[in-house]
Amino acid sequence: ITLLEFKKRYRALALQYHPDQNHSEDATQIFQNIQEAYQKLLKTLVFLPEKLETQEDTKDKEKERINKISKDQLKHVLKCSLLELYHGMTIRVEHETNSDEYEMVSVLPGTSYNYKIHIKIGSTKHILIVQEIDNGEFSRLNTIHLQKMIGITLKEALIGFIKQTTDLLGRKIPLNCTQKVINPYEPLVIQGKGMPVYKKDLVYGDLYIYFHIDFPVQITPTFKHFLEQTPEIINDTHEF
């Protein structure tokens, strides 16, 4: 398995069992177990190198984009990236046996997962079912909101940090998280950086940023002694 694939699978599991999304009784414990396993495996697994995309791979993807439909196939899955669903796109859909019969299909910005597009090519009716290609970094929280996960150190979680991240379009977003302790179950909401709202111009959802805290595998005896000697600094209201 490659490092990228490993991280994709981790994010999918983490989001599935995140207490904000999963309200089952054991979701919190499962989420913590996933985090612990991720940290251990990240340090012990030997990952395969990532496959470099060749010119032939690009050509194959372009051929797949044509999305040819046979005459007896009434339903077809139209796989789109989040970026394509953000901007919208127009593709040519044609019969496999007769390229003179085709339909230009528009996928509007903000189109949702499993959205059905009805078209007619010649005398045959077809249904295109929109599905998203796994982005790896971003995923939909719902129809209009996006979510991503950022890794931070335990030190950054406790004393804060200033850094930057990017939205789906690659635009830089400054993060100034110095006012409170980071709660891994409480997302940072960046307004207007989500998906466009379907059929509404210049209206966008939000970007929810979750934080994955990288806990140290072990601490030095000196630091352990320091913690043991340090008085409790957090009261029952979880405020300093």
Side-chain angles (χ1 to χ4, degrees), residues 116-131:
K116 294 179 177 61
I117 301 175
H118 297 263
I119 63 173
K120 188 175 182 179
I121 302 177
S123 59
T124 307
K125 294 180 179 180
H126 298 271
I127 301 175
L128 303 182
I129 303 174
V130 175
Q131 290 190 0

Side-chain angles (χ1 to χ4, degrees), residues 5 14 31 39 51 105 108 120-121 157-158 160 177 182 207 236:
E5 182 63 28
F31 181 75
Q39 288 302 317
K51 178 185 177 183
V105 179
L108 299 180
K120 188 175 182 179
I121 302 177
L158 293 175
C177 301
I182 299 298
L207 173 60
D236 292 338

Side-chain angles (χ1 to χ4, degrees), residues 53-68 78-79 84 89-94 133:
E53 187 174 276
T54 65
Q55 189 173 3
E56 289 302 318
D57 292 332
T58 305
K59 289 181 180 179
D60 289 341
K61 287 183 179 179
E62 205 56 40
K63 289 178 181 178
E64 291 176 6
R65 182 61 66 199
I66 297 175
N67 290 291
K68 294 182 178 180
L78 180 61
K79 293 186 177 181
E84 289 172 328
M89 61 180 183
T90 300
I91 62 171
R92 171 181 170 130
V93 181
E94 60 186 40
I133 301 171

Side-chain angles (χ1 to χ4, degrees), residues 46 93 112 117 144 157 180-181 185 206 211 237:
V46 177
V93 181
S112 60
I117 301 175
I144 63 173
K180 62 178 183 178
V181 173
Y185 306 120
D206 301 330
F211 297 100
T237 61

